[in-house]
Amino acid sequence: MQTRALVRLGANACIIGRDAEKTEAAAKDIATVRPGAKVIGIGGCDVRRVENLKAAADRCAKELGGIDFVIAGAAGNFIVSMEAMSSNAFRTVMEIDVLGTFNTIKATMPHLLQSPDARINYVSATFHYTGMPMQGHVAAAKASVDSLMASVALEYGPRGVTSNVISPGAIADTEGAARLISTDEAALKHHSRSIPSGRLGTVKDIADATVYLFSPAGSYINGHVLVVDGGAWRRQGGSSMGGKDVKYPDFLLPEGEEPKVKL
């Protein structure tokens, strides 16, 4: 969605993924949005391996003439309580989100420093603002992504690079919304009512935010977290997951067990 919008407006692009066939197919599809667009799909890329990303960045810069904009969006997620989560599960999400973001910075920064208008954006989340049940691993990872963003802004801002985060809320018709809320229409409608703006986000909302940060209008935005969620994070936490029949903290307690109240 983000890359597609940028290509439509005139950019050429390179996308990476672990599955070569899917990545190449996605690149061909994105290229159809503008006649003459060049979109490279590089598969077999694991963000946890910096050598994969360095090879991809070098190829991208060579074939497209340089790198001006970077979107670091690698993420892993699944629903699990702290009690049920294994150390391996926690480590996996941290490696994909945090190490993957760090490796993306390391691999692309030498090229960004050659650009007269260098921008790097990261895709984060809002869970760590308030805490979120069943998302302790992701909250920890995305808090780290936000911190990396700030470090890049401070260290590379004087060298001409802007560094910002986009934090989406629940986006309609995506795997994330299906996992964290529901695929049931009534549950989605109930969740939408809890959002101050009264609706789920759309892929266009995120694409528009990306275009803004990469456009001349966003040239003085640096070290910023741009939340695109209709104000939902202001009332999230234990009360914002699932449909109207999912009540906090009942869904976290063993059946028949009442919350322990301390006097």
Side-chain angles (χ1 to χ4, degrees):
M1 57 185 174
Q2 294 168 288
T3 304
R4 184 181 296 272
L6 294 168
V7 171
R8 185 186 298 276
L9 292 172
N12 292 319
C14 174
I15 63 172
I16 66 170
R18 296 189 68 177
D19 187 298
E21 184 176 346
K22 289 182 179 179
T23 304
E24 290 169 9
K28 290 178 180 178
D29 179 61
I30 293 170
T32 63
V33 303
R34 191 188 87 245
K38 185 173 183 180
V39 182
I40 304 167
I42 302 177
C45 227
D46 185 342
V47 296
R48 295 170 293 184
R49 298 183 178 277
V50 71
E51 62 272 17
N52 286 180
L53 291 174
K54 285 182 176 179
D58 290 346
R59 177 184 166 187
C60 177
K62 181 179 180 180
E63 295 191 25
L64 298 183
I67 297 176
D68 300 307
F69 305 147
V70 173
I71 299 172
N77 196 355
F78 44 87
I79 302 293
V80 64
S81 67
M82 294 291 288
E83 184 175 14
M85 191 187 322
S86 68
S87 294
N88 183 61
F90 183 84
R91 181 175 64 248
T92 297
V93 170
M94 293 295 288
E95 286 179 348
I96 294 172
D97 289 33
V98 185
L99 181 60
T101 297
F102 176 79
N103 286 342
T104 300
I105 295 166
K106 295 291 289 185
T108 61
M109 191 56 70
H111 301 288
L112 285 171
L113 289 172
Q114 303 303 311
S115 170
D117 189 25
R119 319 275 178 98
I120 180 167
N121 286 353
Y122 320 81
V123 180
S124 189
T126 64
F127 303 142
H128 52 292
Y129 303 167
T130 60
M132 177 70 77
M134 307 292 187
Q135 291 289 278
H137 49 328
V138 181
K142 293 306 187 182
S144 298
V145 170
D146 288 7
S147 182
L148 285 170
M149 173 276 292
S151 294
V152 171
L154 289 168
E155 294 188 24
Y156 290 99
R159 300 175 70 181
V161 182
T162 67
S163 170
N164 295 290
V165 153
I166 290 176
S167 292
I171 304 300
D173 302 318
T174 62
E175 184 179 350
R179 285 186 178 185
L180 297 179
I181 306 172
S182 176
T183 56
D184 178 70
E185 186 175 343
L188 291 172
K189 183 177 180 180
H190 172 76
H191 183 85
S192 297
R193 286 175 58 85
S194 73
I195 298 172
S197 291
R199 64 172 177 85
L200 297 179
T202 67
V203 294
K204 184 177 184 300
D205 290 325
I206 306 306
D208 287 347
T210 304
V211 169
Y212 163 63
L213 288 175
F214 283 164
S215 75
S219 63
Y220 200 55
I221 310 301
N222 197 11
H224 182 65
V225 176
L226 178 59
V227 181
V228 187
D229 76 342
W233 78 269
R234 293 289 183 180
R235 60 177 320 279
Q236 74 178 7
S239 63
S240 66
M241 297 183 71
K244 61 182 179 180
D245 295 327
V246 179
K247 306 294 184 182
Y248 176 85
D250 298 351
F251 70 94
L252 295 170
L253 298 172
E255 186 175 355
E257 183 174 317
E258 292 295 321
K260 295 180 179 178
V261 179
K262 295 182 178 180
L263 300 178

